[in-house]
Amino acid sequence: MSRGTLTLLAARADGSVTIGPDDSPPTTTLTTGSNLDTAVHAMNDALRLDPGATLLAVADTTTQGLVHHVAWHGTLPASWNPPAPWRTVPFGEVLATLAPTVAGRLRAASRAGILGKRTVHLHDGLRPGARPTKSERTAAQFTWHARTPTAEEDERVRQVWGWLTDACGRVLVVVDRHGAPGLPGGCPEPGESRSATLARETLEEAAAHHGQPAVLGFQHVTEAGRAPYLQLRMTAPLLDVGPAAPDPDNGEIYQRVLVPAAQANLLLGWGPEGDAQAAAVASAFPRAHDCALRHVPEHGWMPEGACQAGSVS
């Protein structure tokens, strides 16, 4: 009798993951009496991977009582290529092709692996007690445009978000108490410029400062019960991250993470739009994937020596 599945998520440092001829990551059926470690080793062997690097990241129980495991095997060198018929594609592209529950498992596994967590327990692809995201509640759809909005389009900008990078090309990501990651940003206040919005939101959410921003592009957003609007995406050099402090809007103290730009969508899990944005930022830092992800300590971070051996002081 089938009792679940095992999926192996093998990611590369360039933000891509391994899929097979069916456009899904390698998956095998687990039956009663199956040995999970043996199944993981067999899948590692099929992809010619070192079995010692595997982290069991997710166990997902469905309403039918079946358990679906996801094993994380990233982050592999960007030069690594799987044997045929396997291939690698950007992570967001994979998420967009899968059923929501399956995509939820892989998103949770990737986040756990990137952040160095040992296990994540899900129920039907969601963390127990987790609330649906705003995008899920509103059935939001995003279209990415890699250009500056026109004057007419600029009138419809309702949110501003920043890809803030250190000298290594690592991006500042904030993670809330539910484990949901995001970029610093939010809604402009009346009379506020786009750059002023980004500076204020970055300070409020991440206690961080950045240099002169530039427009990366914008997303056209459609969602239930609201007129279509635009989200502006900007880039800027990250100058420093101060001591962790509550966000004035909600009192939350976010975890701050510096993740190589090329790998950012492995953490964000935003779909093809996230792939495109991360790739655009990473293009300015050709060796950004060589820097190690680091959690910013509560006392903050300064750029001096930040790129030496991937350290954060």
Side-chain angles (χ1 to χ4, degrees), residues 195-276:
S195 58
T197 297
L198 182 59
R200 175 179 54 79
E201 292 285 356
T202 298
L203 183 61
E204 292 178 352
E205 295 180 353
H209 298 89
H210 61 77
Q212 182 64 36
V215 173
L216 182 69
F218 63 92
Q219 289 193 139
H220 182 274
V221 186
T222 58
E223 58 184 36
R226 183 174 182 178
Y229 63 95
L230 305 185
Q231 293 178 337
L232 192 67
R233 293 286 195 264
M234 305 186 80
T235 62
L238 180 64
L239 302 180
D240 63 72
V241 184
D247 183 341
D249 287 341
N250 54 28
E252 181 154 7
I253 299 178
Y254 295 99
Q255 176 186 357
R256 288 88 51 89
V257 179
L258 293 170
V259 58
Q263 300 168 25
N265 206 34
L266 290 172
L267 177 57
L268 296 168
W270 280 352
E273 299 78 17
D275 290 336

Side-chain angles (χ1 to χ4, degrees), residues 164-167 172 184 199 202-203 206-211 236-243 256 258 296 299-304 306 312-313:
L164 311 179
T165 55
D166 69 7
L172 177 64
T202 298
L203 183 61
H209 298 89
H210 61 77
L238 180 64
L239 302 180
D240 63 72
V241 184
R256 288 88 51 89
L258 293 170
V296 177
H299 62 74
W301 167 87
M302 291 293 290
E304 290 79 9
V312 172
S313 57

Side-chain angles (χ1 to χ4, degrees), residues 145-169:
H145 301 271
R147 60 176 175 82
T148 300
T150 65
E152 181 180 355
E153 290 168 335
D154 190 66
E155 294 294 325
R156 293 188 285 131
V157 171
R158 298 292 180 266
Q159 299 171 351
V160 181
W161 306 87
W163 288 83
L164 311 179
T165 55
D166 69 7
C168 292

Side-chain angles (χ1 to χ4, degrees), residues 6 58 104 118 165 195 305:
L6 169 67
V58 173
R118 185 64 183 173
T165 55
S195 58

